[in-house]
Amino acid sequence: MAGMDQPSPWWSPARHADRRPFLLARGAITRAVRAWFDAQGFTEVETAILQVSPGNETHLHAPRTELTGGDGARATRYLRTSPEFAAKKLLAAGEARIFELARVFRDRERGDLHLPEFTMLEWYRAEASYDAVMADTFAVIAYAAQATGIGLFSFRGKLADPFAEPHMLTVAQAFERFAGIDLLATIVRGAGDRAALAAAARERVRISDDDTWSDIFSKVLVEHVEPNLGQGRLTVLFEYPAPEAALARTKAADPRVAERFEVYACGVELANGFGELTDAAEQRRRFTADMDEKERRYGERYPLDEEFLAAVAAMPPSSGVALGFDRLVMLAAGALRVDQVVWTPPAGET
């Protein structure tokens, strides 16, 4: 009979019953995380989803819509890829410690670890180093594990203890260890030397003629570095190369690298943190370069949010983290895919 092989919808009683333990775990983790931030003196905020610009990084893609005013005038708006722009405006306004469980949107991303609509936990500390928000990240991950009583995170045969002391590894160390590449030798005056990296990586990854330095970097990272991270315990990958830190400040002692870190468990990227850039002119330069590259690759560019750039110039020295909340719930609840831990998956995605 036609349709016999079609799976039942996610809202069928049987499929919902299979997912319900994960969803209840999500509720427990949400309560625990909110309690932790409250105890640390953070204010929970709720920022707007519709933005003038959804973000200005080359490979981020956002849904767009049009708003119609009372006079019939139409204006393009984008669904945010992160609450970052709005949060930094609040830092400029005087907020010192803020967090948000934000609904965000990213197009062209699908899979066991990706949904086009998902929840991002993002927080900022004014007048704090990125070491401080790195410590926050470890605490939040441990609180999530405590909320479900799980002892080990598990994903695709890999295990990680969320309570163990994390393994600290610079990006340069990771490239040397897992790919045999001297990454910092391919960075000159803050920019990537494409020819140098291509020569160093040619036996490690497939390189196309139109691959940029960043493309080659990403291929090595995905194919050789990330699969080795977060095994046995969390891994913190830090001191990202300056060309890969669009919103982070460069390190004073070594401008080849920036104050950016990522946290991994079981090979899964959980969090991305920065010592935030507060140089508006440099931020504009980076965004413009990224939008030029986006237009070259994808035939589109997003506008710059002038209000955001003004806020960058006015905000205090700050650090912040974006954490994939659905991924954290997936690991802490023992689920296999992120769509199992969201109450109502995006239409057509299951």
Side-chain angles (χ1 to χ4, degrees):
M1 293 177 61
M4 285 187 63
D5 296 330
Q6 294 295 316
S8 57
W10 62 264
W11 45 263
S12 66
R15 287 189 66 187
H16 182 68
D18 289 339
R19 296 169 62 246
R20 196 165 190 273
F22 302 138
L23 300 172
L24 295 179
R26 183 187 185 98
I29 294 167
T30 302
R31 291 189 293 274
V33 166
R34 280 195 164 112
W36 186 86
F37 278 106
D38 184 61
Q40 299 298 313
F42 281 77
T43 298
E44 183 171 7
V45 299
E46 187 175 8
T47 60
I49 288 174
L50 291 174
Q51 297 288 325
V52 169
S53 174
N56 295 104
E57 295 177 58
T58 302
H59 302 293
L60 285 183
H61 302 274
R64 61 187 293 172
T65 188
E66 282 195 338
L67 300 182
T68 305
D71 61 356
R74 301 183 70 82
T76 298
R77 293 292 182 267
Y78 297 88
L79 277 63
R80 64 187 178 182
T81 59
S82 162
E84 182 166 6
F85 284 11
K88 288 182 176 177
K89 293 171 188 177
L90 290 175
L91 292 174
E95 295 293 338
R97 296 184 182 184
I98 55 175
F99 81 99
E100 182 173 6
L101 283 159
R103 300 297 289 178
V104 298
F105 305 83
R106 296 193 178 180
D107 208 357
R108 305 192 187 208
E109 297 186 9
R110 303 291 190 278
D112 290 349
L113 295 172
H114 298 88
L115 289 172
E117 176 184 354
F118 60 99
T119 299
M120 181 178 287
L121 170 61
E122 192 154 317
W123 70 94
Y124 294 86
R125 287 181 179 265
E127 306 292 350
S129 69
Y130 88 141
D131 293 335
V133 293
M134 195 183 294
D136 289 343
T137 307
F138 306 152
V140 167
I141 292 171
Y143 260 68
Q146 288 174 347
T148 63
I150 201 166
L152 288 173
F153 290 162
S154 174
F155 186 71
R156 295 179 180 171
K158 298 175 182 177
L159 302 174
D161 182 350
F163 306 106
E165 183 178 352
H167 179 210
M168 306 294 293
L169 192 65
T170 70
V171 177
Q173 289 170 338
F175 269 61
E176 179 64 40
R177 181 176 304 178
F178 301 122
I181 293 173
D182 183 354
L183 183 65
L184 296 185
T186 74
I187 302 173
V188 181
R189 292 186 292 275
D193 183 332
R194 192 264 183 201
L197 185 55
R202 65 178 179 268
E203 295 183 1
R204 307 298 290 161
V205 295
R206 184 174 180 177
I207 300 173
S208 301
D209 290 342
D210 63 346
D211 280 343
T212 64
W213 184 96
S214 289
D215 293 329
I216 302 169
F217 170 86
S218 295
K219 288 180 179 181
V220 176
L221 182 71
V222 170
E223 295 178 28
H224 296 284
V225 176
E226 288 185 335
N228 294 289
L229 304 181
Q231 298 201 47
R233 53 180 172 159
L234 302 178
T235 296
V236 180
L237 198 62
F238 69 106
E239 292 187 1
Y240 266 71
E244 291 297 306
L247 292 122
R249 58 181 174 251
T250 54
K251 189 175 179 182
D254 187 351
R256 295 176 300 176
V257 299
E259 293 186 2
R260 176 186 174 189
F261 69 90
E262 292 195 338
V263 179
Y264 289 80
C266 305
V268 175
E269 177 199 338
L270 284 179
N272 184 17
F274 298 149
E276 305 294 346
L277 181 65
T278 54
D279 182 335
E282 172 63 13
Q283 187 68 85
R284 182 185 296 276
R285 185 196 68 77
R286 294 184 191 181
F287 279 174
T288 300
D290 281 350
M291 290 301 92
D292 288 346
E293 179 64 11
K294 187 183 194 71
E295 188 165 39
R296 184 187 75 82
R297 284 174 172 268
Y298 304 109
E300 65 173 345
R301 65 190 302 135
Y302 298 141
L304 303 187
D305 183 341
E306 294 295 339
E307 192 176 72
F308 167 72
L309 290 170
V312 166
M315 63 185 275
S318 305
S319 296
V321 178
L323 183 148
F325 190 70
D326 302 328
R327 291 184 182 184
L328 178 60
V329 173
M330 180 191 75
L331 292 176
L336 301 176
R337 307 182 312 275
V338 290
D339 67 284
Q340 293 177 304
V341 301
V342 296
W343 280 93
T344 59
E349 298 298 328
T350 61

